[in-house]
Amino acid sequence: MLANPSPYHRAAANLRENGYRAMPVSPGTKIPGQFSAGDWRPMSGWAKYCDSLPAEFIHEQWEKWPEAGVCVAHGNIIGLDLDTDRKDVSEALHQAVEPSLIRRRGQKGWMGYYRPGDGLDDLTARVRWYDDEGVVCVELLLHGTQSVLPPTIHPGTGKPYTWLPGGETLEDTDISDLPEFSGEDLAALDREFGGVGLSRKAPRRVSDREYDRPASGGHDLEKPIGRSINDRAMEAIDTWWPLLDMPKSRQRAPGAWEAVPFWRVSNSGRAVHDRNPNLKAVPSGIVDFGADRSYTPIDLVMCARDCSDGAAMDWLRQYIRSEAGAVDIGISISGNGNQSHAQEFKVVHADSTLNGNHVKSTFQPDRWAAIPVFAGKRSYAGVKPISLPSDEEWETQIAKEPPDFPLQDFSVCEGLLGDMASHIDNASATATEAGALAVSLPLLGAVMGRAYASPTNLRTNIYSVALGGSGTGKTSLVNPAKEVMQLGQVAQMIGQDRIASGSGLLKMLTAESRRICFLDEFGHMLQQIGSPGSGVHAKQIITEFTALFSGANTLFSGTAYASQEPTPIDCPNLCLFGMATPDQFWRAFGSSSLEDGSIARYLVFPLGQTAPKEMDVSAAQDVADALKELQAAISGRVRGNLGQSQVFTVPMDEAAQVARNALKDKETAFAEYAEMNAVRGGSAILRRVTENAIKIALISAVGRNVDNPEIDGRDMDIGHALAWWSANVMISNIASHIADNQYERDVNEVERYIIEGKTDGRSMEMIGNRFRGIKRRDRMEILEALEESGQISVETNTNPFGGRPRKIFRGAL
């Protein structure tokens, strides 16, 4: 007997004895021993236990799971869920059906259990009754669903589910003693609920023809079997999609559905019930926009039912039409004395004499060579194990609200980097916390380009972005930067302020391999070139940005175009200083940017507190002279395109090496934590921290000593502070800004609007006026989802003058 048995261990044996199909639900985390007790989710492939009991040895393994909750699969039982505290709805339900004596309570209402009777066969897995605001008040959970049982912890209250007092429990009630729920009871519920303003919305049928998909025709057998089944399944999607019972499954039009792809990890780390329905189906295909992946019907069934491709095809055949132009013949496959197995195949009506024929094929294993196996020692055998951070360590290092800019005084950066930042800060018309350093790093990175490298062969190419609202002084940083480059006689490295195509970008670098581009409205530019309507030349800009970032230490061959031969570029050193408002910048990225690491290449610098001030250009000439000395020191080593440059490898002292190794270990551990806990974008962003930190340290070291630079511990500390702070800023903003579709954007904007309301909160009227473009029902769904996920809190204020109570929405503390 276990010392501390889990809820599943305590309840499952009694449930099984009474005929119920008990299953464990596990905490929503991948780190053993660390989880949120309320974040429960069923195991992959649980739906198959709606049809049959699992074997006893499987239960024995389940009972060993630590802290597992318990749920029951619905098939031989069903559940009627009163999910509201409205008294009139409860009274209507009691008028229509006799409530079961076996009822469990979670946060509100109750769930009663029944045996399924006649008249329920043609229904989907869930039947729901909605109020006039589109909120589900009552739900009937049929075959293919499941429900969590006591004593599992409820995710909303943090307390165990309970059985209602005065009744029975499933643990002491045989399944044959449950009351029966039939189609007549369903009709009675419809009548009574209609009197209190509830309605049951049935899926629309294909006959509505909002979407029209032509039938595949009589040539199915000219296609591979998988393609034939997929085509016929798309014709009948309204029949089989709801039977998969995916979370938040909903029909938007005939042939058009949406649901939550529960089999993959959430990009934002949310539990299944909090996730958006990113899986979309229309007659032309099925796409998971959260993972940027397409599915065939067979793929989808394999994922949703956790089965093989053969089982998925067999399941789909139940709901699709027969193949046109085919007959069934039995094929016997035998070999080596094994028992023959009958399989069903489809063949063309080439000859009517095929009916009844049997085709025999013999398999002889000794005709085939064995698979070679080569023993040896793997190269990664010596990799040391990763020590993952705790939840508290993660929250300390990656705070939800990023800390202030870590370098309060630019003099911390000794040498040219600190002098350049101080001058630009003094010479700009607006004082900012981080802006001067944001522009100084790529400026010096361009001038030092192709001449210096770290011991790991990283170069000085930097992509930085200054984020601030309109009028916060982003553009006032550019003028002193360009002026000091002109005074320092390195103006030829200033690139174009606008980039129209990928080929134009490469042409600019062919003429001069060291460039810095000052890009105003950078977020708007990224949105334009990433929009669906943008041309292929514009989209190529992002591709080249990504490739050039990693190609600064090699011969860059570029992109082949039909109109011209590609010109190789020797070690292109492109630096960017982008200026954008936060909303513009974050909106330019989607989930695909998180997966391919596009966003991780940027150093993001929110400007922080800003204020107008007097401009001081007294240090301009001194900084310009330092630029001239830098350019003179490296001019002999840096040659034109395809000229062999002499790169100086800047060494690291012992303190810097220790700091680099420690940062790499920290980066790896936190990136692994982010990946295992589905922190959206966290893994890709964190795995670039050490790279960006070394680049910053390299620029800082060269700025201190142009002729014989050495990266010391202070340089690495500066790089660590800036790169980690930037990563924190990105991770904390991604969850509330980046979206793949309009629904996610709406959720993000509503959430931010409520949080910005601070302590006063936002009323329903204020939210309605602010988001008139969002349908009322969609607004209610968004608010409900945000409340359930804990992102916002809701309180009801009584009106002292009478009338309906007033709801106030606030950001969760």
Side-chain angles (χ1 to χ4, degrees), residues 267-268 270 276 278 290 582-583 585-595 599-600 680-681 685 730-741 743-749 752:
N267 291 327
S268 58
R270 296 180 178 179
N276 295 323
N278 288 329
D583 285 345
F585 181 73
W586 299 118
R587 275 195 173 193
F589 298 96
S591 293
S592 59
S593 304
L594 306 181
E595 298 297 331
I599 193 172
R680 195 175 190 187
I685 292 169
M730 286 192 279
I731 293 172
S732 63
N733 278 276
I734 280 171
S736 61
H737 285 82
I738 290 184
D740 294 313
N741 51 56
Y743 179 80
E744 288 189 12
R745 294 188 186 95
D746 292 342
V747 172
N748 291 340
E749 290 180 4
R752 287 200 303 275

mmCIF file of all heavy atoms in Angstrom, residues 267-268 270 276 278 290 582-583 585-595 599-600 680-681 685 730-741 743-749 752:
data_model
loop_
_atom_site.group_PDB
_atom_site.id
_atom_site.type_symbol
_atom_site.label_atom_id
_atom_site.label_comp_id
_atom_site.label_asym_id
_atom_site.label_seq_id
_atom_site.Cartn_x
_atom_site.Cartn_y
_atom_site.Cartn_z
ATOM 1 N N ASN A 267 1.516 26.507 -26.904
ATOM 2 C CA ASN A 267 2.627 27.451 -27.082
ATOM 3 C C ASN A 267 2.719 28.447 -25.941
ATOM 4 O O ASN A 267 3.774 28.988 -25.662
ATOM 5 C CB ASN A 267 2.464 28.214 -28.402
ATOM 6 C CG ASN A 267 2.671 27.337 -29.601
ATOM 7 O OD1 ASN A 267 3.475 26.410 -29.567
ATOM 8 N ND2 ASN A 267 1.943 27.598 -30.670
ATOM 9 N N SER A 268 1.581 28.723 -25.291
ATOM 10 C CA SER A 268 1.568 29.703 -24.209
ATOM 11 C C SER A 268 1.587 29.064 -22.844
ATOM 12 O O SER A 268 1.516 29.752 -21.839
ATOM 13 C CB SER A 268 0.325 30.589 -24.339
ATOM 14 O OG SER A 268 -0.856 29.797 -24.305
ATOM 15 N N ARG A 270 -0.727 27.194 -21.505
ATOM 16 C CA ARG A 270 -2.045 27.137 -20.874
ATOM 17 C C ARG A 270 -2.576 25.719 -20.808
ATOM 18 O O ARG A 270 -2.223 24.874 -21.614
ATOM 19 C CB ARG A 270 -3.041 28.015 -21.639
ATOM 20 C CG ARG A 270 -2.694 29.503 -21.607
ATOM 21 C CD ARG A 270 -3.720 30.310 -22.369
ATOM 22 N NE ARG A 270 -3.448 31.740 -22.310
ATOM 23 C CZ ARG A 270 -4.170 32.676 -22.909
ATOM 24 N NH1 ARG A 270 -5.213 32.315 -23.639
ATOM 25 N NH2 ARG A 270 -3.862 33.939 -22.802
ATOM 26 N N ASN A 276 -6.986 28.395 -27.026
ATOM 27 C CA ASN A 276 -7.810 28.858 -28.131
ATOM 28 C C ASN A 276 -7.994 27.744 -29.154
ATOM 29 O O ASN A 276 -7.104 26.913 -29.353
ATOM 30 C CB ASN A 276 -7.161 30.065 -28.816
ATOM 31 C CG ASN A 276 -7.083 31.254 -27.900
ATOM 32 O OD1 ASN A 276 -7.984 31.500 -27.109
ATOM 33 N ND2 ASN A 276 -6.003 32.004 -27.989
ATOM 34 N N ASN A 278 -7.298 26.718 -32.134
ATOM 35 C CA ASN A 278 -6.448 27.039 -33.281
ATOM 36 C C ASN A 278 -6.543 26.024 -34.406
ATOM 37 O O ASN A 278 -5.998 26.248 -35.486
ATOM 38 C CB ASN A 278 -4.987 27.149 -32.841
ATOM 39 C CG ASN A 278 -4.730 28.408 -32.032
ATOM 40 O OD1 ASN A 278 -5.385 29.419 -32.249
ATOM 41 N ND2 ASN A 278 -3.803 28.349 -31.091
ATOM 42 N N GLY A 290 -1.839 27.335 -34.608
ATOM 43 C CA GLY A 290 -0.930 27.514 -33.489
ATOM 44 C C GLY A 290 0.426 26.883 -33.719
ATOM 45 O O GLY A 290 1.430 27.329 -33.182
ATOM 46 N N PRO A 582 5.343 49.409 -29.308
ATOM 47 C CA PRO A 582 5.224 48.016 -28.862
ATOM 48 C C PRO A 582 4.169 47.220 -29.611
ATOM 49 O O PRO A 582 4.425 46.088 -30.038
ATOM 50 C CB PRO A 582 4.891 48.157 -27.374
ATOM 51 C CG PRO A 582 5.474 49.466 -26.970
ATOM 52 C CD PRO A 582 5.304 50.352 -28.167
ATOM 53 N N ASP A 583 2.979 47.789 -29.787
ATOM 54 C CA ASP A 583 1.909 47.045 -30.457
ATOM 55 C C ASP A 583 2.290 46.702 -31.886
ATOM 56 O O ASP A 583 2.041 45.588 -32.363
ATOM 57 C CB ASP A 583 0.606 47.851 -30.448
ATOM 58 C CG ASP A 583 -0.061 47.838 -29.078
ATOM 59 O OD1 ASP A 583 0.326 46.990 -28.255
ATOM 60 O OD2 ASP A 583 -0.943 48.681 -28.839
ATOM 61 N N PHE A 585 5.310 46.327 -33.154
ATOM 62 C CA PHE A 585 6.384 45.333 -33.210
ATOM 63 C C PHE A 585 5.874 43.941 -32.881
ATOM 64 O O PHE A 585 6.120 42.986 -33.621
ATOM 65 C CB PHE A 585 7.493 45.731 -32.237
ATOM 66 C CG PHE A 585 8.664 44.785 -32.244
ATOM 67 C CD1 PHE A 585 9.543 44.760 -33.308
ATOM 68 C CD2 PHE A 585 8.889 43.917 -31.181
ATOM 69 C CE1 PHE A 585 10.627 43.885 -33.327
ATOM 70 C CE2 PHE A 585 9.969 43.047 -31.185
ATOM 71 C CZ PHE A 585 10.833 43.031 -32.262
ATOM 72 N N TRP A 586 5.151 43.787 -31.771
ATOM 73 C CA TRP A 586 4.723 42.449 -31.361
ATOM 74 C C TRP A 586 3.698 41.862 -32.318
ATOM 75 O O TRP A 586 3.652 40.649 -32.514
ATOM 76 C CB TRP A 586 4.165 42.485 -29.934
ATOM 77 C CG TRP A 586 5.153 42.943 -28.917
ATOM 78 C CD1 TRP A 586 5.068 44.045 -28.117
ATOM 79 C CD2 TRP A 586 6.407 42.327 -28.587
ATOM 80 N NE1 TRP A 586 6.176 44.151 -27.324
ATOM 81 C CE2 TRP A 586 7.015 43.119 -27.582
ATOM 82 C CE3 TRP A 586 7.068 41.194 -29.041
ATOM 83 C CZ2 TRP A 586 8.245 42.790 -27.025
ATOM 84 C CZ3 TRP A 586 8.295 40.872 -28.487
ATOM 85 C CH2 TRP A 586 8.864 41.663 -27.498
ATOM 86 N N ARG A 587 2.888 42.718 -32.917
ATOM 87 C CA ARG A 587 1.885 42.219 -33.858
ATOM 88 C C ARG A 587 2.502 41.660 -35.138
ATOM 89 O O ARG A 587 1.855 40.937 -35.885
ATOM 90 C CB ARG A 587 0.909 43.339 -34.239
ATOM 91 C CG ARG A 587 -0.233 43.522 -33.262
ATOM 92 C CD ARG A 587 -1.311 44.376 -33.891
ATOM 93 N NE ARG A 587 -2.497 44.434 -33.065
ATOM 94 C CZ ARG A 587 -3.656 44.892 -33.499
ATOM 95 N NH1 ARG A 587 -3.772 45.312 -34.751
ATOM 96 N NH2 ARG A 587 -4.698 44.931 -32.706
ATOM 97 N N ALA A 588 3.741 42.025 -35.397
ATOM 98 C CA ALA A 588 4.390 41.579 -36.631
ATOM 99 C C ALA A 588 4.804 40.127 -36.582
ATOM 100 O O ALA A 588 5.196 39.558 -37.595
ATOM 101 C CB ALA A 588 5.612 42.460 -36.927
ATOM 102 N N PHE A 589 4.727 39.500 -35.406
ATOM 103 C CA PHE A 589 5.206 38.132 -35.255
ATOM 104 C C PHE A 589 4.058 37.205 -34.900
ATOM 105 O O PHE A 589 3.095 37.590 -34.240
ATOM 106 C CB PHE A 589 6.282 38.060 -34.160
ATOM 107 C CG PHE A 589 7.506 38.874 -34.456
ATOM 108 C CD1 PHE A 589 7.635 40.154 -33.947
ATOM 109 C CD2 PHE A 589 8.504 38.373 -35.271
ATOM 110 C CE1 PHE A 589 8.757 40.921 -34.218
ATOM 111 C CE2 PHE A 589 9.627 39.127 -35.551
ATOM 112 C CZ PHE A 589 9.756 40.398 -35.028
ATOM 113 N N GLY A 590 4.190 35.955 -35.349
ATOM 114 C CA GLY A 590 3.255 34.903 -34.999
ATOM 115 C C GLY A 590 4.001 33.707 -34.454
ATOM 116 O O GLY A 590 5.207 33.756 -34.198
ATOM 117 N N SER A 591 3.273 32.589 -34.289
ATOM 118 C CA SER A 591 3.886 31.387 -33.717
ATOM 119 C C SER A 591 5.038 30.877 -34.573
ATOM 120 O O SER A 591 6.011 30.328 -34.058
ATOM 121 C CB SER A 591 2.835 30.286 -33.563
ATOM 122 O OG SER A 591 1.886 30.654 -32.603
ATOM 123 N N SER A 592 4.937 31.056 -35.898
ATOM 124 C CA SER A 592 6.019 30.575 -36.763
ATOM 125 C C SER A 592 7.319 31.314 -36.472
ATOM 126 O O SER A 592 8.407 30.745 -36.568
ATOM 127 C CB SER A 592 5.630 30.741 -38.234
ATOM 128 O OG SER A 592 5.365 32.107 -38.534
ATOM 129 N N SER A 593 7.225 32.595 -36.077
ATOM 130 C CA SER A 593 8.425 33.360 -35.726
ATOM 131 C C SER A 593 9.066 32.822 -34.459
ATOM 132 O O SER A 593 10.282 32.898 -34.292
ATOM 133 C CB SER A 593 8.061 34.837 -35.519
ATOM 134 O OG SER A 593 7.416 35.362 -36.655
ATOM 135 N N LEU A 594 8.242 32.264 -33.566
ATOM 136 C CA LEU A 594 8.786 31.684 -32.347
ATOM 137 C C LEU A 594 9.473 30.368 -32.638
ATOM 138 O O LEU A 594 10.473 30.018 -32.013
ATOM 139 C CB LEU A 594 7.665 31.458 -31.335
ATOM 140 C CG LEU A 594 6.805 32.681 -31.002
ATOM 141 C CD1 LEU A 594 5.749 32.308 -29.980
ATOM 142 C CD2 LEU A 594 7.668 33.809 -30.481
ATOM 143 N N GLU A 595 8.921 29.610 -33.584
ATOM 144 C CA GLU A 595 9.493 28.309 -33.893
ATOM 145 C C GLU A 595 10.817 28.431 -34.645
ATOM 146 O O GLU A 595 11.769 27.701 -34.376
ATOM 147 C CB GLU A 595 8.498 27.484 -34.724
ATOM 148 C CG GLU A 595 7.182 27.194 -34.020
ATOM 149 C CD GLU A 595 7.358 26.360 -32.779
ATOM 150 O OE1 GLU A 595 8.314 25.568 -32.732
ATOM 151 O OE2 GLU A 595 6.561 26.491 -31.841
ATOM 152 N N ILE A 599 12.348 36.024 -34.072
ATOM 153 C CA ILE A 599 12.262 37.085 -33.066
ATOM 154 C C ILE A 599 13.427 37.005 -32.077
ATOM 155 O O ILE A 599 13.822 38.008 -31.492
ATOM 156 C CB ILE A 599 10.912 36.991 -32.322
ATOM 157 C CG1 ILE A 599 10.680 38.269 -31.513
ATOM 158 C CG2 ILE A 599 10.838 35.758 -31.432
ATOM 159 C CD1 ILE A 599 9.310 38.347 -30.911
ATOM 160 N N ALA A 600 13.997 35.817 -31.890
ATOM 161 C CA ALA A 600 15.061 35.638 -30.900
ATOM 162 C C ALA A 600 16.346 36.342 -31.298
ATOM 163 O O ALA A 600 17.233 36.522 -30.462
ATOM 164 C CB ALA A 600 15.328 34.146 -30.697
ATOM 165 N N ARG A 680 5.622 30.057 -24.075
ATOM 166 C CA ARG A 680 5.548 30.418 -25.482
ATOM 167 C C ARG A 680 6.760 31.231 -25.927
ATOM 168 O O ARG A 680 7.015 32.316 -25.426
ATOM 169 C CB ARG A 680 4.269 31.212 -25.736
ATOM 170 C CG ARG A 680 3.911 31.323 -27.202
ATOM 171 C CD ARG A 680 2.574 32.002 -27.390
ATOM 172 N NE ARG A 680 2.139 31.899 -28.767
ATOM 173 C CZ ARG A 680 1.067 32.525 -29.254
ATOM 174 N NH1 ARG A 680 0.336 33.286 -28.456
ATOM 175 N NH2 ARG A 680 0.741 32.379 -30.509
ATOM 176 N N GLY A 681 7.512 30.685 -26.869
ATOM 177 C CA GLY A 681 8.682 31.363 -27.404
ATOM 178 C C GLY A 681 9.889 31.339 -26.498
ATOM 179 O O GLY A 681 10.981 31.762 -26.903
ATOM 180 N N ILE A 685 14.043 31.921 -27.609
ATOM 181 C CA ILE A 685 14.619 33.209 -27.196
ATOM 182 C C ILE A 685 15.788 33.001 -26.254
ATOM 183 O O ILE A 685 16.857 33.610 -26.401
ATOM 184 C CB ILE A 685 13.528 34.080 -26.538
ATOM 185 C CG1 ILE A 685 12.493 34.499 -27.595
ATOM 186 C CG2 ILE A 685 14.132 35.302 -25.862
ATOM 187 C CD1 ILE A 685 11.254 35.134 -27.013
ATOM 188 N N MET A 730 11.039 40.112 -23.968
ATOM 189 C CA MET A 730 10.354 39.417 -25.051
ATOM 190 C C MET A 730 9.406 38.343 -24.533
ATOM 191 O O MET A 730 8.254 38.252 -24.953
ATOM 192 C CB MET A 730 11.378 38.812 -26.016
ATOM 193 C CG MET A 730 12.052 39.833 -26.902
ATOM 194 S SD MET A 730 12.990 39.106 -28.265
ATOM 195 C CE MET A 730 14.492 38.673 -27.425
ATOM 196 N N ILE A 731 9.873 37.509 -23.606
ATOM 197 C CA ILE A 731 9.046 36.416 -23.113
ATOM 198 C C ILE A 731 7.804 36.947 -22.405
ATOM 199 O O ILE A 731 6.703 36.417 -22.565
ATOM 200 C CB ILE A 731 9.870 35.510 -22.171
ATOM 201 C CG1 ILE A 731 10.958 34.792 -22.968
ATOM 202 C CG2 ILE A 731 8.989 34.495 -21.470
ATOM 203 C CD1 ILE A 731 11.949 34.029 -22.114
ATOM 204 N N SER A 732 7.965 38.024 -21.629
ATOM 205 C CA SER A 732 6.824 38.563 -20.893
ATOM 206 C C SER A 732 5.803 39.219 -21.812
ATOM 207 O O SER A 732 4.622 39.301 -21.471
ATOM 208 C CB SER A 732 7.304 39.581 -19.855
ATOM 209 O OG SER A 732 7.927 40.688 -20.484
ATOM 210 N N ASN A 733 6.240 39.693 -22.978
ATOM 211 C CA ASN A 733 5.318 40.368 -23.900
ATOM 212 C C ASN A 733 4.675 39.433 -24.908
ATOM 213 O O ASN A 733 3.607 39.726 -25.427
ATOM 214 C CB ASN A 733 6.045 41.493 -24.651
ATOM 215 C CG ASN A 733 6.137 42.764 -23.830
ATOM 216 O OD1 ASN A 733 5.218 43.562 -23.801
ATOM 217 N ND2 ASN A 733 7.245 42.927 -23.132
ATOM 218 N N ILE A 734 5.330 38.319 -25.197
ATOM 219 C CA ILE A 734 4.824 37.436 -26.245
ATOM 220 C C ILE A 734 3.435 36.909 -25.911
ATOM 221 O O ILE A 734 2.533 36.905 -26.749
ATOM 222 C CB ILE A 734 5.815 36.276 -26.477
ATOM 223 C CG1 ILE A 734 6.965 36.762 -27.359
ATOM 224 C CG2 ILE A 734 5.146 35.079 -27.142
ATOM 225 C CD1 ILE A 734 8.099 35.785 -27.465
ATOM 226 N N ALA A 735 3.243 36.469 -24.652
ATOM 227 C CA ALA A 735 1.967 35.857 -24.288
ATOM 228 C C ALA A 735 0.805 36.822 -24.455
ATOM 229 O O ALA A 735 -0.302 36.413 -24.781
ATOM 230 C CB ALA A 735 2.030 35.349 -22.847
ATOM 231 N N SER A 736 1.041 38.126 -24.259
ATOM 232 C CA SER A 736 -0.059 39.084 -24.313
ATOM 233 C C SER A 736 -0.145 39.834 -25.632
ATOM 234 O O SER A 736 -1.039 40.661 -25.802
ATOM 235 C CB SER A 736 0.097 40.105 -23.171
ATOM 236 O OG SER A 736 1.313 40.822 -23.307
ATOM 237 N N HIS A 737 0.751 39.565 -26.577
ATOM 238 C CA HIS A 737 0.731 40.308 -27.832
ATOM 239 C C HIS A 737 0.673 39.431 -29.078
ATOM 240 O O HIS A 737 -0.106 39.692 -29.991
ATOM 241 C CB HIS A 737 1.975 41.217 -27.936
ATOM 242 C CG HIS A 737 1.916 42.435 -27.069
ATOM 243 N ND1 HIS A 737 2.246 42.394 -25.728
ATOM 244 C CD2 HIS A 737 1.564 43.719 -27.333
ATOM 245 C CE1 HIS A 737 2.109 43.607 -25.215
ATOM 246 N NE2 HIS A 737 1.712 44.425 -26.165
ATOM 247 N N ILE A 738 1.520 38.409 -29.137
ATOM 248 C CA ILE A 738 1.635 37.657 -30.380
ATOM 249 C C ILE A 738 0.405 36.788 -30.595
ATOM 250 O O ILE A 738 -0.047 36.094 -29.689
ATOM 251 C CB ILE A 738 2.911 36.798 -30.369
ATOM 252 C CG1 ILE A 738 4.134 37.734 -30.474
ATOM 253 C CG2 ILE A 738 2.920 35.785 -31.495
ATOM 254 C CD1 ILE A 738 5.447 37.025 -30.561
ATOM 255 N N ALA A 739 -0.127 36.828 -31.796
ATOM 256 C CA ALA A 739 -1.340 36.072 -32.134
ATOM 257 C C ALA A 739 -1.239 35.586 -33.569
ATOM 258 O O ALA A 739 -0.615 36.218 -34.414
ATOM 259 C CB ALA A 739 -2.582 36.947 -31.963
ATOM 260 N N ASP A 740 -1.881 34.433 -33.818
ATOM 261 C CA ASP A 740 -1.880 33.841 -35.152
ATOM 262 C C ASP A 740 -3.172 34.101 -35.912
ATOM 263 O O ASP A 740 -3.261 33.833 -37.097
ATOM 264 C CB ASP A 740 -1.670 32.327 -35.066
ATOM 265 C CG ASP A 740 -0.288 31.982 -34.537
ATOM 266 O OD1 ASP A 740 0.680 32.577 -35.022
ATOM 267 O OD2 ASP A 740 -0.189 31.129 -33.642
ATOM 268 N N ASN A 741 -4.193 34.580 -35.231
ATOM 269 C CA ASN A 741 -5.474 34.820 -35.890
ATOM 270 C C ASN A 741 -6.188 35.959 -35.160
ATOM 271 O O ASN A 741 -5.747 36.425 -34.106
ATOM 272 C CB ASN A 741 -6.336 33.546 -35.898
ATOM 273 C CG ASN A 741 -6.454 32.921 -34.524
ATOM 274 O OD1 ASN A 741 -6.869 33.581 -33.577
ATOM 275 N ND2 ASN A 741 -6.075 31.653 -34.406
ATOM 276 N N TYR A 743 -8.993 36.010 -33.541
ATOM 277 C CA TYR A 743 -9.541 35.683 -32.219
ATOM 278 C C TYR A 743 -8.473 35.887 -31.145
ATOM 279 O O TYR A 743 -8.740 36.482 -30.091
ATOM 280 C CB TYR A 743 -10.059 34.249 -32.198
ATOM 281 C CG TYR A 743 -10.622 33.843 -30.851
ATOM 282 C CD1 TYR A 743 -11.911 34.216 -30.477
ATOM 283 C CD2 TYR A 743 -9.858 33.110 -29.948
ATOM 284 C CE1 TYR A 743 -12.422 33.859 -29.240
ATOM 285 C CE2 TYR A 743 -10.358 32.752 -28.708
ATOM 286 C CZ TYR A 743 -11.650 33.123 -28.360
ATOM 287 O OH TYR A 743 -12.149 32.772 -27.141
ATOM 288 N N GLU A 744 -7.250 35.404 -31.384
ATOM 289 C CA GLU A 744 -6.184 35.575 -30.408
ATOM 290 C C GLU A 744 -5.854 37.052 -30.206
ATOM 291 O O GLU A 744 -5.574 37.482 -29.094
ATOM 292 C CB GLU A 744 -4.934 34.814 -30.838
ATOM 293 C CG GLU A 744 -5.062 33.308 -30.703
ATOM 294 C CD GLU A 744 -3.735 32.610 -30.921
ATOM 295 O OE1 GLU A 744 -2.697 33.301 -30.956
ATOM 296 O OE2 GLU A 744 -3.723 31.379 -31.070
ATOM 297 N N ARG A 745 -5.885 37.828 -31.289
ATOM 298 C CA ARG A 745 -5.638 39.271 -31.148
ATOM 299 C C ARG A 745 -6.709 39.911 -30.280
ATOM 300 O O ARG A 745 -6.427 40.777 -29.446
ATOM 301 C CB ARG A 745 -5.579 39.934 -32.519
ATOM 302 C CG ARG A 745 -4.404 39.492 -33.376
ATOM 303 C CD ARG A 745 -4.294 40.328 -34.639
ATOM 304 N NE ARG A 745 -3.265 39.807 -35.506
ATOM 305 C CZ ARG A 745 -3.475 38.972 -36.511
ATOM 306 N NH1 ARG A 745 -4.714 38.590 -36.803
ATOM 307 N NH2 ARG A 745 -2.475 38.533 -37.248
ATOM 308 N N ASP A 746 -7.968 39.499 -30.495
ATOM 309 C CA ASP A 746 -9.061 40.052 -29.696
ATOM 310 C C ASP A 746 -8.867 39.720 -28.222
ATOM 311 O O ASP A 746 -9.055 40.576 -27.353
ATOM 312 C CB ASP A 746 -10.405 39.499 -30.187
ATOM 313 C CG ASP A 746 -10.775 40.003 -31.578
ATOM 314 O OD1 ASP A 746 -10.184 41.017 -32.008
ATOM 315 O OD2 ASP A 746 -11.633 39.385 -32.222
ATOM 316 N N VAL A 747 -8.492 38.471 -27.926
ATOM 317 C CA VAL A 747 -8.269 38.066 -26.538
ATOM 318 C C VAL A 747 -7.153 38.896 -25.916
ATOM 319 O O VAL A 747 -7.277 39.413 -24.796
ATOM 320 C CB VAL A 747 -7.927 36.560 -26.458
ATOM 321 C CG1 VAL A 747 -7.495 36.191 -25.043
ATOM 322 C CG2 VAL A 747 -9.113 35.711 -26.863
ATOM 323 N N ASN A 748 -6.049 39.058 -26.647
ATOM 324 C CA ASN A 748 -4.922 39.824 -26.123
ATOM 325 C C ASN A 748 -5.306 41.270 -25.845
ATOM 326 O O ASN A 748 -4.939 41.848 -24.810
ATOM 327 C CB ASN A 748 -3.755 39.767 -27.109
ATOM 328 C CG ASN A 748 -3.133 38.385 -27.205
ATOM 329 O OD1 ASN A 748 -3.300 37.555 -26.321
ATOM 330 N ND2 ASN A 748 -2.427 38.127 -28.296
ATOM 331 N N GLU A 749 -6.053 41.883 -26.784
ATOM 332 C CA GLU A 749 -6.400 43.293 -26.623
ATOM 333 C C GLU A 749 -7.379 43.500 -25.475
ATOM 334 O O GLU A 749 -7.267 44.471 -24.721
ATOM 335 C CB GLU A 749 -6.975 43.825 -27.937
ATOM 336 C CG GLU A 749 -5.933 43.945 -29.044
ATOM 337 C CD GLU A 749 -6.518 44.482 -30.333
ATOM 338 O OE1 GLU A 749 -7.719 44.831 -30.330
ATOM 339 O OE2 GLU A 749 -5.794 44.563 -31.330
ATOM 340 N N ARG A 752 -5.350 43.115 -22.214
ATOM 341 C CA ARG A 752 -4.511 44.284 -21.925
ATOM 342 C C ARG A 752 -5.365 45.477 -21.491
ATOM 343 O O ARG A 752 -4.988 46.223 -20.590
ATOM 344 C CB ARG A 752 -3.666 44.655 -23.150
ATOM 345 C CG ARG A 752 -2.539 43.697 -23.427
ATOM 346 C CD ARG A 752 -1.471 44.347 -24.308
ATOM 347 N NE ARG A 752 -2.012 44.833 -25.553
ATOM 348 C CZ ARG A 752 -2.171 44.092 -26.648
ATOM 349 N NH1 ARG A 752 -1.845 42.818 -26.625
ATOM 350 N NH2 ARG A 752 -2.645 44.606 -27.758
#
